[in-house]
Amino acid sequence: MEYRELSVPGAWEITPKQFGDPRGVFLEWFKAEKFEEALGHPLDLQQANLSVSSAGVLRGIHFADTPPGQAKYVTCPKGAVLDVVVDIRVGSPTFGQWDSVLLDDTDRRAIYLGEGLGHAFMALEDDSTVMYLCSTGYSPGREHGIHPLDTEVGIDWPTTARDGSPLTPLLSDKDLAAPTLTEAQAQGLLPTLEQVTTHLESLRTR
């Protein structure tokens, strides 16, 4: 299992070792020891989510108030998604920047997004299944969004599906109504780098 930090600090791509034989494939998609070795603190698992999406479905950009925030460890056991992390930490040198990892049922990578980061993905195939390990449970009052098509963020979303057919973004009503990054900052919804750093330091000293 290999960890590679993305261009947005606090987000990591995880590539597992796959063991195949005539029966199929086996792999470890999460291992606490390797996680803590790479990040310096454990993943406090409080909730596990699963979503199934049609090709073109676009979910995000989602984030939670920090502290406590909501860290996510995400993989795609069936289908394919482009998974995106956005730096929404006010005061961060990479504020407003994004990076991505292709999660699919071939390489079977995962992505980890630490507290205080925005998360979104687009499904590239019908019935694409995404599984998330989350550090906190769902709490509607402290969860927010940024419009995933915000031109200021400028995410380069795919325009073709896995089979080569054209993709049309399909958003929920909630995500369609989400503010832009600038609007979210003006509304005081975004975490600061200081808040996130202080929270991460508390995790490392537990």
Side-chain angles (χ1 to χ4, degrees), residues 21-89:
D21 62 26
R23 300 170 300 164
V25 175
F26 174 85
L27 67 138
E28 297 171 343
W29 74 277
F30 173 78
K31 192 166 186 177
E33 177 185 1
K34 292 292 186 182
F35 180 91
E36 190 165 354
E37 180 182 301
L39 276 78
H41 64 81
L43 174 62
D44 184 11
L45 176 59
Q46 294 297 320
Q47 185 169 310
N49 300 334
L50 184 149
S51 67
V52 181
S53 302
S54 302
V57 166
L58 180 51
R59 301 180 188 266
I61 304 165
H62 299 151
F63 64 98
D65 291 337
T66 304
Q70 187 182 64
K72 298 175 182 176
Y73 191 105
V74 186
T75 194
C76 178
K78 179 184 178 184
V81 303
L82 183 71
D83 201 284
V84 174
V85 55
V86 182
D87 192 344
I88 58 169
R89 301 167 295 192

Side-chain angles (χ1 to χ4, degrees), residues 10-28:
W12 299 74
E13 174 192 84
I14 302 100
T15 303
K17 291 183 179 178
Q18 301 189 58
F19 302 91
D21 62 26
R23 300 170 300 164
V25 175
F26 174 85
L27 67 138
E28 297 171 343

